[in-house]
Amino acid sequence: MKQYGIYIRQGSGTPYMIHFYDNIDSTKQKLYEMIQLEEERQRPYFVDNDFFNNKYRLVGNLRYFLIKEREVSEWKNYSEIEEKRETNNKIIYFDKVKYKTKIHF
C-alpha cells in the first residue's frame, strides 16, 4: 500500500510535509487547491513532479511543491522473539576513538 504526501519549501527555508493521503487523486486535488491559492495571491510557485506544467522557473524565493510517495506495510503483531532474532544477526563496528577525560578536584 502506498502513501502520498505534499512536500513544501518556501525559498531556502526548512522544508516540511503535510496532507498525507492513501491515493494519488486526493493528493493531486489538494495540490491543485494549494496552487489555486498561490495563483489568487499572485505568488510564484514550482511543482517538481512530471505531470505538472510549470508556469514559473525554479529560481528565487518561490514556494516549492513536490508530491512524494512511500510504501506502507500492514500492521503486524509485536514479538520479542522476532526482535531478538533480528538484532542478533547485526554486526556493529566502532571506530577507534580516544577519549580524553579531565578530572577536576
Side-chain angles (χ1 to χ4, degrees), residues 6-78:
I6 301 175
Y7 173 95
I8 302 171
R9 186 183 70 234
Q10 179 66 44
S12 61
T14 303
Y16 57 95
M17 288 192 68
I18 59 169
H19 304 295
F20 295 97
Y21 297 97
D22 294 333
N23 63 57
I24 189 65
D25 295 327
S26 299
T27 311
K28 283 183 179 180
Q29 181 180 357
K30 184 60 181 178
L31 176 65
Y32 284 118
E33 289 173 7
M34 295 168 74
I35 290 169
Q36 181 64 34
L37 184 62
E38 297 299 310
E39 289 280 339
E40 288 173 8
R41 295 179 178 173
Q42 298 179 353
R43 294 190 298 206
Y45 59 88
F46 186 83
V47 179
D48 201 4
N49 291 101
D50 58 0
F51 64 85
F52 192 81
N53 225 355
N54 283 294
K55 187 175 178 180
Y56 304 99
R57 292 183 180 205
L58 182 57
V59 293
N61 191 21
L62 52 73
R63 185 162 290 211
Y64 175 87
F65 297 102
L66 174 65
I67 293 180
K68 290 190 169 200
E69 70 177 354
R70 68 177 179 173
E71 281 292 329
V72 179
S73 63
E74 294 296 323
W75 288 96
K76 62 180 182 177
N77 294 342
Y78 171 75

Side-chain angles (χ1 to χ4, degrees), residues 86-99:
E86 289 177 14
T87 57
N88 285 342
N89 293 333
K90 294 180 183 174
I91 299 173
I92 301 172
Y93 295 99
F94 294 100
D95 290 337
K96 294 180 181 177
V97 180
K98 293 182 181 178
Y99 297 97

